[in-house]
Amino acid sequence: WRREAPRPRVERLDPRNNPAAPSPAVDDERVYVFFAEFGLLAYDFDGNKLWDAPLGPFDNLYGMGASPVVFDGKVLLVCDQRTDSFLIAINGTNGQVAWRVDRPEAASSHATPIVWQPNNGEPQLIVVGSFLLSGYAISTGQRLWWVRGMIHEMKSVPVISNGIAYVNGYGSPMNDPGNTLDVGPFENALQYDSNDDGLLSRDELPEGRARQRIRMSDLDRDGKLSENDWNYFRNSMAMTNGMFAIRLGGSGDMTDKNFLWLYSRAVPQLPSPLLYENLLYMINDGGIVTILDPTTGAQLDQGRLQNAVDSYYASPVAGDGKIYMVSELGMVSVVKPEPTLRVIATTDLDDTVYGTPAIDGNRIYLRTGTTLYSFGLPQ
Ligand SMILES: [Ca+2]
Ligand SMILES: [Ca+2]
């Protein structure tokens, strides 16, 4: 079946994004889909619409990207945007809001959250966004603890294993080690406020990062940097690109206790990491594969995929003792899960791929720009 969703408005999108970028979520009874230009919709498995929950409009520099997650009867959706970011839980049976919490620190992030079940205690939603990784109680929406140090735009889904989250964040080359800096407080920057209106316009700012990045930093889009805009800019210049390993849990600000390690070379902007057979893999947008020791963050190997040198948007997946990496132009590399990068097969799908493959049972599903493929052994 096929159903058309309402599209009451058209929102700004980066050309690499599209209005149907968020993936659907399913439970035993329903499928939930989020379209930023409408909101959430729920269907039964016969395609009958059960409810809808209009949300937005949204304002995100690149458009919305986070997918809904369903757990324990609630549809959980991170709606981070330039201003008024929030996290919402909607009752899967009837579409009513169970709870909604503001995320004032978050701007322009796109990361789908992940559920974490601690050994002791209630399930939490682990949300990565601007500057913070946070744990929320799924039952109430209360933010229980957080760790500082994330960059300003988080896009990747964390991977969780043994109470540790591995998550990569990449802002721009200005966030590479050695390039970060403290641009100082707003009160110092006000020396450039030549018309004394308490705001910094593009023309007032000297040549440099503040002027170059005003389109990103001007969160409320009035063409000038307020103190709030400046603080976002200041924080975004101070943070370091990296793969972060963070212990989960605790209460309040856990930055000092929970931050385990940071690895900062060839970090992906978009593809999420993969933890498989006790090795941590990442592939960056430029096609550089890095294999890390998840315990220490030590680099075990780094290199490009022979026969598939390309850009990468899809995240790596693994099953049956193999890792699958799919490039933007549809080159599929099958990699052995070993500390040294070794490709055992390459296939060309001859079409664009931006979506992460899905594995279910003995099948792997791959979606290209035109075609949905299912691969597996004959039954
Ligand atoms: Ca001014
Ligand atoms: Ca502004």
Side-chain angles (χ1 to χ4, degrees), residues 79-206:
C79 295
D80 286 356
Q81 51 183 334
R82 293 171 71 96
T83 59
D84 304 318
S85 299
F86 61 92
L87 166 63
I88 194 166
I90 289 183
N91 188 321
T93 55
N94 58 18
Q96 299 296 305
V97 176
W99 49 258
R100 173 179 164 142
V101 290
D102 291 336
R103 291 174 40 77
E105 78 286 356
S108 189
S109 283
H110 313 273
T112 299
I114 187 166
V115 172
W116 173 53
Q117 175 62 69
N119 289 332
N120 302 302
E122 64 168 310
Q124 298 183 17
L125 189 69
I126 305 301
V127 179
V128 289
S130 308
F131 315 121
L132 294 178
L133 178 149
S134 307
Y136 292 85
I138 292 178
S139 58
T140 62
Q142 185 192 357
R143 190 170 66 139
L144 302 171
W145 61 274
W146 61 91
V147 166
R148 289 175 280 114
M150 304 293 110
I151 58 110
H152 50 293
E153 285 176 357
M154 299 297 289
K155 296 115 181 166
S156 309
V157 184
V159 165
I160 289 177
S161 175
N162 291 327
I164 296 170
Y166 302 91
V167 61
N168 48 276
Y170 183 93
S172 81
M174 294 179 195
N175 301 103
D176 279 335
N179 294 346
T180 60
L181 54 84
D182 183 358
V183 298
F186 186 63
E187 58 188 51
N188 293 4
L190 278 176
Q191 64 181 294
Y192 303 114
D193 180 20
S194 46
N195 69 353
D196 283 328
D197 67 348
L199 302 165
L200 298 167
S201 67
R202 191 176 193 286
D203 292 342
E204 289 173 327
L205 290 166

Side-chain angles (χ1 to χ4, degrees), residues 31-93:
V31 55
Y32 308 96
V33 286
F34 171 62
F35 295 105
E37 291 163 334
F38 175 73
L40 269 169
L41 298 121
Y43 299 90
D44 68 18
F45 293 153
D46 294 320
N48 301 307
K49 191 175 97 174
L50 300 173
W51 51 260
D52 59 43
L55 293 167
F58 298 104
D59 181 14
N60 206 327
L61 194 59
Y62 305 100
M64 301 298 272
S67 305
V69 168
V70 59
F71 183 80
D72 199 19
K74 290 189 179 73
V75 187
L76 304 155
L77 184 67
V78 174
C79 295
D80 286 356
Q81 51 183 334
R82 293 171 71 96
T83 59
D84 304 318
S85 299
F86 61 92
L87 166 63
I88 194 166
I90 289 183
N91 188 321
T93 55

